[in-house]
Amino acid sequence: MQKPNPRIGLLADLLDGLDIGLCVFDADDCAVGWNQTFLYLFPEHDGFVHLGEHYGENLRRFYGNRLTSDEARYIDEYVASGLARHQAQSRPFEFEHRGTWLRVAAQTIPGLGRVRLWRRITQGADGVGARTPAEADTPDGIVAANADGRIVSANRQFAQLYGLAPGEAVGLTFEAVVARAWQDTHGDAPPQLLAHLREAQRFAGAPFEVPLPGERWIRVIEHAREDGRTGAHFDITALKREQAALRAAEAEARRSASHLRGIIERMPAGMLVVGGAGDLVEANRAFLHALGREAADLVGRPLAVLGLPEEAGLLDRLLAGAGEAGEPAVCEMRFPRADGGTMWARVSAVRLPLPADPASTLLQVEDITARREAERRIAHMAAHDALTDLPNRTLFRTRLDALLGDGRACAILWLDLDRFKVVNDTLGHAAGDALLCEVGRRMRAVLRGEDTLARLGGDEFAVLLAGGDSPAASQVASRLVEAMQAPIAVAGRSMHVGVSIGVVLAPGHGADADTLMARADRALYSAKAAGRSTFRLYDPAMDAAAAEQRGLELDLRLGLDRGEFVLHYQPIVTAAERRTVCREALVRWHHPTRGLVSPGAFIPLAEETGLIDRLGAWILRQACRDAATWTDGARVAVNVSAAQVRHGPLVAAIQAALRESGLGPDRLEIEITESLLVDGDAVDLLLALRRLGLRIALDDFGTGYSSLSYLRRFPFDAIKIDRSFIADIANPGTAAIVRAVVGIAAQLGATVTAEGIESEDQCAAARREGCTEMQGYLFGRPVPLDAAA
């Protein structure tokens, strides 16, 4: 290697003999010179430090030959880090290098440049550096030779270094001394060694090393004099062994680090290596891909910038926890992605001592975005209605409890759609679902953002108003009623549904949720009773009405057990002769204290409570028994509701009634309404009834969402035109409709019954339009069996 710049002058020879490593840089940080001890302390830099070259370029050449392929992409960061440490040093500090503790100091010398000096130390018990005997500045052996290269004097240590007796070296050349040291134990010295010695002695002042048997090494520094030369000989066997061990350890560490980095890079989960200062040292491909970022965007930056501002400090706490218990520190956090989205991650941190940074921490980043989203969806589904995505009963109750728990005033609006059942039964559940979604959108549009609109189930909704007083709640209820007045297009048809609303106020109408919701339901019932499409504020008098309804339900159950129900019959006559051909069975309730209760009061209650099954089965049995006693052979007509079909086995009930009474099936006529026809099982039901030999009549035709396709698709024996058409039959338009229905029925072989005939004019008009049978007060009112027979 070239000798250092001559500007160091004659001191260079002396500096090479010191056990202090030094390196000199000019004001531009270009290498000026160094001594041999620097290379003994840092043999890895041997060959990579060039005179006149900037320290950064020295480092680049050094790292360029030592980094693995995985590490090579970070060479700029390694160089920048090393240069920063070099330029920033202002005070001495101690560090461990290759198993040896060193103290490094830097000093600026005017006219020369910046000098860095390294001295070997050991750590004492008190942690203070202390010099070792091996660090003495005095060489192990001193020798002087004449101009012919023959030794004229040598100290005792010199003789011991080469295995000679005191004074035995005098008169020998140094080459002969080395040859004798080899010959005594291993025979002749290697020829290349002797050639190396001859070559080295041509350059006085240039240190060289001499290997001896037993893996011993001597470092020689010779200085020329006018009459010969002097030499300083240092036993560096221990240093050589230490350097060899450190080189092996470093190679193994590099191999392990390279292997570890290779594993990290190929891991499917995100992996990060964080330095002791909290900067990101490495980020593998999986992590970068998950965030849609490049390594240059993240590596070298503080780890904290990876997270969201609202989670600041979370990663710092994670790193702190990684060094405490020995087990990984774990947290869940979010990372912003390049596309503006967010990645939820489960991050675990463990200490990972690496050669380059003993304080490194390894972070494993598991993408749990899908799991978090699934959890969010599950939580949302648990608290929201699946059809309308509105809050459900559970979330409504939670928010109500929270308001009441805080002692805040609020208003509850309990809502129920009017005529929704007709839409659902007529057009089917899909149309009903579409209507409910549109209802939810309309209601949401007239509410404030802080108000809660919930679907409780079916066509029931509820609204929670924070801080609502009576005027404010009434105003909201009015807006909701008005919003439902406009028709809704469903399945290509314009549908009209309204909404009835019950309103309660807290704390005025109750302090707990159960009481408030029960009273809201009573207010709703009152709104329905008032004619629907309106709202009612709760009044304590409504409690009495609710108690009355509960009492009526109990009485209905007892009435079925006690046989309080009777049948009245209304005749159906032929249009020509007015001969009775059928009697319609109409149920009446003789209550012991209430008197005669209207069917309009107890039939809906029976359908709502499920008692319609028992009541309907009784009506069938009683009607068949009564008809079996009639001597005129007239049929008996029994109405069957859609609720009765859904709740119980209708066919089995009819078979039992016919069997018990002995009535012929051709004398039993079952009347159904259009609402039953939309049921998916309607065709099967009618076909089953047809197989029994019964007559089937379509009752109240024209009152529902009538479709002429019903007349073609279902096997009806009779069509009963609703009384509303007969009342207006004098109108040419209405008469034309009746005439059209009669014509279709004639083609199908069905009779047509005109309902609600109350005058001779109506009777004559119905006959003109072709009605074959008639029913109404003109021919007889509903009367008990004795009067009917």
Side-chain angles (χ1 to χ4, degrees):
M1 186 178 69
Q2 183 179 355
K3 281 290 291 181
N5 192 303
R7 77 172 63 185
I8 299 181
L10 297 177
L11 291 175
D13 292 339
L14 295 177
L15 294 175
D16 276 337
L18 297 177
D19 267 3
I20 299 176
L22 63 87
C23 198
V24 184
F25 303 88
D26 64 16
D28 296 325
D29 270 327
C30 295
V32 173
W34 58 89
N35 70 349
Q36 286 298 311
T37 307
F38 166 73
L39 296 181
Y40 282 109
L41 294 176
F42 304 99
E44 63 270 21
H45 286 281
D46 195 357
F48 297 109
V49 184
H50 288 191
L51 289 172
E53 190 172 56
H54 191 272
Y55 183 55
E57 294 303 318
N58 293 158
L59 289 175
R60 182 173 299 278
R61 181 180 297 104
F62 168 71
Y63 285 124
N65 286 270
R66 290 170 57 83
L67 296 178
T68 65
S69 58
D70 290 333
E71 298 170 323
R73 55 180 170 168
Y74 303 120
I75 187 170
D76 291 338
E77 299 165 26
Y78 281 101
V79 171
S81 176
L83 188 60
R85 289 195 300 271
H86 164 77
Q87 294 174 340
Q89 183 184 353
S90 60
R91 299 175 61 185
F93 65 91
E94 299 172 0
F95 67 100
E96 186 180 21
H97 179 68
R98 305 163 71 88
T100 301
W101 278 91
L102 302 173
R103 177 182 289 118
V104 59
Q107 186 173 1
T108 300
I109 300 177
L112 180 60
R114 182 179 176 86
V115 181
R116 299 188 77 191
L117 303 100
W118 292 266
R119 179 188 297 277
R120 293 177 61 190
I121 61 173
T122 60
Q123 290 294 110
D126 57 356
V128 179
R131 297 188 59 189
T132 64
E135 296 177 300
D137 295 335
T138 304
D140 293 290
I142 302 295
V143 64
N146 59 22
D148 295 332
R150 295 189 178 275
I151 297 173
V152 295
S153 66
N155 65 355
R156 181 172 56 82
Q157 288 85 351
F158 176 83
Q160 290 176 345
L161 285 176
Y162 295 96
L164 303 177
E168 188 178 355
V170 175
L172 300 176
T173 62
F174 182 57
E175 180 180 347
V177 170
V178 173
R180 181 172 295 184
W182 274 87
Q183 188 176 18
D184 290 344
T185 56
H186 286 71
D188 295 338
Q192 63 271 25
L193 171 60
L194 299 180
H196 169 69
L197 294 179
R198 289 191 293 271
E199 182 69 20
Q201 292 181 57
R202 294 182 184 179
F203 303 97
F208 58 92
E209 296 177 354
V210 179
L212 295 178
E215 299 183 353
R216 295 174 56 234
W217 285 84
I218 306 297
R219 174 159 56 101
V220 180
I221 301 176
E222 293 189 335
H223 301 285
R225 296 184 294 106
E226 292 182 0
D227 56 348
R229 67 183 67 196
T230 59
H233 294 247
F234 300 85
D235 187 346
I236 61 171
T237 300
L239 178 61
K240 279 289 188 178
R241 290 173 181 170
E242 180 181 326
Q243 289 176 341
L246 290 174
R247 280 194 295 270
E250 184 181 40
E252 175 61 22
R254 286 200 305 271
R255 187 197 67 78
S256 297
S258 176
H259 182 62
L260 176 61
R261 289 189 173 95
I263 293 175
I264 291 174
E265 183 64 19
R266 290 165 178 80
M267 285 288 287
M271 305 294 287
L272 305 175
V273 178
V274 183
D279 295 340
L280 186 62
V281 177
E282 291 191 35
N284 71 345
R285 285 177 292 188
F287 181 79
L288 296 173
H289 177 74
L291 296 188
R293 299 186 182 275
E294 299 294 332
D297 300 333
L298 304 178
V299 174
R301 302 183 66 189
L303 185 64
V305 304
L306 296 181
L308 297 176
E310 56 266 35
E311 295 179 352
L314 189 58
L315 281 170
D316 291 337
R317 292 193 294 273
L318 184 71
L319 293 178
E324 295 176 356
E327 295 184 357
V330 180
C331 74
E332 290 187 1
M333 61 176 296
R334 293 169 293 170
F335 292 95
R337 293 199 299 256
D339 61 5
T342 300
M343 179 184 78
W344 268 101
R346 182 180 186 272
V347 185
S348 58
V350 294
R351 285 293 185 203
L352 184 67
L354 294 175
D357 187 355
S360 294
T361 303
L362 178 67
L363 303 183
Q364 177 174 325
V365 183
E366 178 187 357
D367 187 348
I368 60 170
T369 306
R371 192 198 79 192
R372 277 282 191 160
E373 178 60 22
E375 291 174 348
R376 186 199 65 79
R377 287 198 302 269
I378 291 171
H380 183 84
M381 291 168 60
H384 289 77
D385 174 54
L387 176 63
T388 62
D389 201 41
L390 295 173
N392 60 14
R393 184 183 294 269
T394 301
L395 182 55
F396 181 86
R397 176 63 181 264
T398 299
R399 293 180 178 177
L400 174 58
D401 287 339
L403 286 175
L404 297 176
D406 293 340
R408 298 171 59 187
C410 62
I412 300 175
L413 281 63
W414 218 248
L415 302 88
D416 189 80
L417 299 184
D418 302 329
R419 296 181 296 278
F420 171 75
K421 184 176 181 299
V422 176
V423 177
N424 210 37
D425 291 346
T426 305
L427 298 182
H429 294 294
D433 289 348
L435 186 143
L436 289 172
C437 291
E438 176 59 24
V439 166
R441 285 189 289 269
R442 286 193 182 185
M443 291 182 178
R444 184 72 269 174
V446 301
L447 296 173
R448 302 170 301 178
E450 60 268 27
D451 298 333
T452 296
L453 171 64
R455 182 188 176 209
L456 306 179
D459 61 341
E460 296 180 348
F461 294 81
V463 174
L464 178 61
L465 306 176
D469 53 18
S470 179
S474 298
Q475 185 179 18
V476 172
S478 180
R479 289 202 305 265
L480 290 170
V481 170
E482 183 180 356
M484 297 307 302
Q485 295 304 307
I488 299 176
V490 179
R493 302 183 63 173
S494 182
M495 315 299 294
H496 290 267
V497 293
V499 63
S500 299
I501 305 174
V503 182
V504 295
L505 305 174
H509 295 152
D512 64 275
D514 291 331
T515 299
L516 288 168
M517 291 189 294
R519 290 177 174 173
D521 191 57
R522 291 169 198 163
L524 171 61
Y525 185 83
S526 176
K528 288 182 177 181
R532 302 177 183 272
S533 292
T534 186
F535 69 91
R536 287 291 182 270
L537 188 66
Y538 169 77
D539 186 283
M542 295 176 181
D543 291 340
E548 173 67 15
Q549 185 71 4
R550 289 194 299 270
L552 185 61
E553 178 184 342
L554 179 59
D555 286 351
L556 180 61
R557 295 180 185 275
L558 294 175
L560 286 170
D561 295 334
R562 295 190 296 224
E564 296 173 356
F565 293 88
V566 296
L567 293 181
H568 287 194
Y569 295 93
Q570 185 176 29
I572 299 173
V573 303
T574 60
E577 300 90 358
R578 299 191 181 186
R579 178 173 53 87
T580 300
V581 292
C582 183
R583 296 180 180 90
E584 182 177 359
L586 302 170
V587 66
R588 298 292 185 264
W589 181 12
H590 286 286
H591 192 278
T593 58
R594 299 174 188 268
L596 189 63
V597 182
S598 168
F602 67 83
I603 291 295
L605 182 60
E607 291 179 338
E608 180 183 343
T609 58
L611 294 174
I612 192 66
D613 296 342
R614 290 181 59 192
L615 182 59
W618 177 85
I619 293 172
L620 278 169
R621 291 195 305 271
Q622 189 62 44
C624 289
R625 282 197 297 265
D626 290 345
T629 66
W630 297 339
T631 58
D632 58 4
R635 305 185 308 271
V636 63
V638 178
N639 291 281
V640 174
S641 72
Q644 186 177 351
V645 173
R646 286 193 294 268
H647 292 169
L650 178 62
V651 173
I654 292 173
Q655 288 175 320
L658 292 173
R659 185 173 57 253
E660 292 175 8
S661 65
L663 184 69
D666 59 326
R667 292 184 59 195
L668 176 61
E669 185 172 288
I670 298 297
E671 295 187 2
I672 66 171
T673 58
E674 294 170 79
S675 62
L676 180 60
L677 301 180
V678 297
D679 194 297
D681 298 327
V683 174
D684 294 337
L685 171 64
L686 294 180
L687 291 176
L689 296 178
R690 174 68 70 192
R691 286 193 293 269
L692 293 178
L694 311 177
R695 283 175 57 87
I696 304 173
L698 179 59
D699 193 17
D700 299 333
F701 183 77
T703 58
Y705 295 94
S706 304
S707 172
L708 295 179
S709 64
Y710 295 157
L711 305 181
R712 177 179 56 83
R713 293 167 54 198
F714 298 99
F716 296 111
D717 298 291
I719 299 172
K720 302 182 73 171
I721 299 177
D722 187 67
R723 66 181 61 248
S724 60
F725 289 92
I726 302 304
D728 194 37
I729 199 169
N731 185 303
T734 304
I737 295 174
V738 173
R739 190 181 316 122
V741 174
V742 169
I744 295 172
Q747 292 295 322
L748 298 175
T751 61
V752 177
T753 302
E755 295 183 303
I757 300 293
E758 297 183 356
S759 68
E760 291 293 346
D761 289 341
Q762 291 174 344
C763 177
R767 287 187 61 185
R768 282 195 303 270
E769 303 305 334
C771 294
T772 55
E773 294 181 354
M774 299 184 185
Q775 181 180 7
Y777 287 174
L778 181 62
F779 312 109
R781 294 175 179 270
V783 295
L785 175 63
D786 295 341

